[in-house]
Amino acid sequence: MDLFEALPEELILLDVDSEDKESLFVKVAVQLKSLGYIQDEYELVESLKYREEIMSTGIGDGVAFPHAELSDLKERIVVVARLKKAVKFEALDRKPVDLAFVLITPKGRHDHVLDILETLARMIRDTDLLARIRRAADEKEVQFALKMSKDCVFG
């Protein structure tokens, strides 16, 4: 199954205006709540912040994989967020983050998290893919770039 095969445009957030990673989390949570994907945006923001306290999800090259588990979630959600301006994320390479792949899974479904994180880790090695996402004019271009990446597949 292709992780991004059916990624809706509404889950691709382009040019998100965020001051820091917490404001990014709030904007993602508000969007997901407004679209009916989640019931409690506060729980999502707090869960993402808690995960960041354990260890930064900024993995380098301007990319982060913030992730959280929610108790009332039935299916996994992936949000691709391109930030208007890179923000500090305490990334491993100390570079600010301008692309975030936000993963939200049902509580206790660690298999989902590991599979998707493995897929995302492969994807970011594709610097051409990251460049296409960074310069995409709209959500359709991001969808196309993701679908064309050979590394977006997981089982």
Side-chain angles (χ1 to χ4, degrees):
M1 175 182 165
D2 187 326
L3 175 60
F4 295 99
E5 185 68 32
L7 185 67
E9 285 184 33
E10 63 196 17
L11 297 181
I12 300 170
L13 309 179
L14 299 181
D15 302 323
V16 177
D17 193 11
S18 294
E19 312 279 315
D20 53 29
K21 60 183 166 181
E22 185 173 344
S23 68
L24 168 65
F25 298 161
V26 168
K27 290 182 184 208
V28 168
V30 167
Q31 174 78 357
L32 292 174
K33 166 83 174 177
S34 73
L35 294 169
Y37 284 95
I38 63 171
Q39 295 178 7
D40 184 351
E41 70 266 31
Y42 178 78
E43 180 188 7
L44 176 56
V45 171
E46 289 305 306
S47 185
L48 289 166
K49 285 173 32 181
Y50 175 74
R51 174 59 188 86
E52 289 297 316
E53 289 171 8
I54 295 170
M55 185 173 138
S56 175
T57 59
I59 57 141
D61 294 324
V63 178
F65 299 152
H67 50 283
E69 295 181 340
L70 294 182
S71 54
D72 64 351
L73 201 63
K74 303 282 187 254
E75 297 289 325
R76 69 181 183 269
I77 302 168
V78 176
V79 176
V80 176
R82 182 180 73 193
L83 284 68
K84 186 180 240 180
K85 179 181 151 217
V87 298
K88 287 185 181 180
F89 231 92
E90 292 82 41
L92 297 174
D93 63 359
R94 302 184 194 270
K95 293 179 182 175
V97 164
D98 67 337
L99 285 178
F101 296 85
V102 184
L103 168 62
I104 304 112
T105 57
K107 197 167 223 58
R109 293 301 312 262
H110 301 292
D111 55 329
H112 280 352
V113 175
L114 295 176
D115 286 344
I116 296 169
L117 289 176
E118 180 183 331
T119 298
L120 291 170
R122 283 194 312 269
M123 285 172 53
I124 63 129
R125 288 189 218 121
D126 183 349
T127 56
D128 190 46
L129 169 64
L130 297 179
R132 288 192 308 270
I133 294 172
R134 286 182 170 121
R135 70 175 178 259
D138 57 27
E139 293 83 356
K140 286 193 183 306
E141 283 188 29
V142 173
Q143 282 177 322
F144 184 74
L146 291 167
K147 286 178 184 177
M148 297 312 294
S149 175
K150 64 187 177 309
D151 294 313
C152 290
V153 178
F154 79 105

